[in-house]
Amino acid sequence: MNPSPFFEIEKRKNVAILWLNRPEKRNAMNWPFWRDLPDMVDQINADPQIHCFVIAAKGKSFSTGLDLEEFFQEFKPVVQGELADGREKLYQLILTMQKGINAVYNSKKPSIALVQKHCIGGGLDLVSACDIRYATKDASFSLRESKVAIVADMGSLQRLPHLIGNAHTRELALTGKDISADEALQMGLVTKVTEDFDTLLQAGLTTAEEIAENPTIVIRGVKQVLNHGIGKTIEEGLDYVAVWNASMLDSKDFRSAIGGFMERKRPVFNPETRVD
């Protein structure tokens, strides 16, 4: 796998951990984060033995978001471009930065975000792109961009309404305030809160391993159907899943499931990529 100064990929059986690995800066997102994240997800997508991945962070915090000082120093001419040509360069830079977080969201492999302590700005963009989110009890979340004179542009404003509702999203975005792990649990941003990071990591890996044992073709289908249904009517969603199953239902794993049911045996899915 290609190395990155910001990320580290660790494989555990059929699960990968994508580590944010800039602990000395509380995983503040400098340019290597934005540059390398698409490639990290591509590497995970390309490995048939990885069925699910966890995004976790080394150090005291998940991420304090965009490294504003370093980013402004590196891209000041682009950020402060006066003419249309300069503004177009900033527009293209923003689209480039969006690619990595979009890659997490669009990956056919499910993702689980594990948050300890700070999850600010770009950190919240990243976890909102994941399928499942867990946190430690000392975690705090903030859609902080309004406090640094930025309209959040990495996906939180687009994805959070579907996770926590429009009203909660507006309150977080307009105030830039912090919310606790308990508040995040109550509004549905996270679905599990643990005592500390060790139990958080174990909980995340347990869920990831449970997902990884299921048929990969079905997991891809579930994620695709759920993502496709956002913004659609129930009728459109039902038609889409009907087309999906009409095309994909009769898989090797489906036949294994039927055989297991008939023989009263637990089927083993994904035998060609399973790591025991």
Side-chain angles (χ1 to χ4, degrees), residues 84-143:
D85 309 75
R87 312 319 296 168
E88 185 178 19
K89 288 181 180 178
L90 179 56
Y91 170 72
Q92 292 298 332
L93 176 62
I94 293 170
L95 294 184
T96 297
M97 293 170 67
Q98 290 175 349
K99 288 181 180 178
I101 292 177
N102 288 343
V104 173
Y105 182 78
N106 292 321
S107 173
K108 294 180 180 180
K109 300 183 180 184
S111 53
I112 303 173
L114 304 180
V115 177
Q116 79 273 27
K117 204 60 176 175
H118 302 98
C119 182
I120 297 172
L124 185 53
D125 291 315
L126 178 58
V127 303
S128 69
C130 294
D131 296 290
I132 299 170
R133 288 154 295 279
Y134 295 166
T136 55
K137 66 179 183 180
D138 67 348
S140 64
F141 300 81
S142 177
L143 191 52

Side-chain angles (χ1 to χ4, degrees), residues 108-256:
K108 294 180 180 180
K109 300 183 180 184
S111 53
I112 303 173
L114 304 180
V115 177
Q116 79 273 27
K117 204 60 176 175
H118 302 98
C119 182
I120 297 172
L124 185 53
D125 291 315
L126 178 58
V127 303
S128 69
C130 294
D131 296 290
I132 299 170
R133 288 154 295 279
Y134 295 166
T136 55
K137 66 179 183 180
D138 67 348
S140 64
F141 300 81
S142 177
L143 191 52
R144 187 71 60 84
E145 283 85 348
S146 62
K147 290 191 177 296
V148 292
I150 299 173
V151 176
D153 55 6
M154 292 294 123
S156 285
L157 297 182
Q158 291 69 41
R159 296 188 177 102
L160 285 178
H162 303 291
L163 300 174
I164 62 175
N166 194 279
H168 283 310
T169 300
R170 286 174 184 264
E171 183 175 0
L172 292 179
L174 294 171
T175 63
K177 69 178 183 177
D178 296 337
I179 60 168
S180 67
D182 285 340
E183 291 174 296
L185 180 65
Q186 290 171 5
M187 66 176 60
L189 177 60
V190 302
T191 53
K192 188 186 293 291
V193 175
T194 69
E195 286 294 314
D196 53 38
F197 181 76
D198 288 342
T199 53
L200 177 72
L201 182 60
Q202 186 55 56
L205 289 173
T206 297
T207 299
E209 289 162 3
E210 187 174 0
I211 292 170
E213 290 179 354
N214 291 328
T216 55
I217 191 171
V218 171
I219 296 306
R220 290 198 300 271
V222 167
K223 184 165 180 178
Q224 188 165 333
V225 168
L226 285 171
N227 285 357
H228 180 271
I230 293 176
K232 307 292 196 308
T233 65
I234 291 176
E235 289 75 14
E236 289 171 319
L238 286 170
D239 184 68
Y240 184 82
V241 73
V243 171
W244 175 274
N245 270 343
S247 304
M248 304 293 186
L249 180 63
D250 190 19
S251 65
K252 290 185 292 184
D253 287 321
F254 177 73
R255 295 187 182 189
S256 177

Side-chain angles (χ1 to χ4, degrees), residues 7-24:
F7 296 100
E8 178 184 318
I9 296 177
E10 177 187 352
K11 288 179 63 174
R12 299 193 184 186
K13 295 184 179 180
N14 293 116
V15 173
I17 305 175
L18 179 59
W19 289 103
L20 311 188
N21 192 21
R22 198 187 181 208
E24 73 281 2

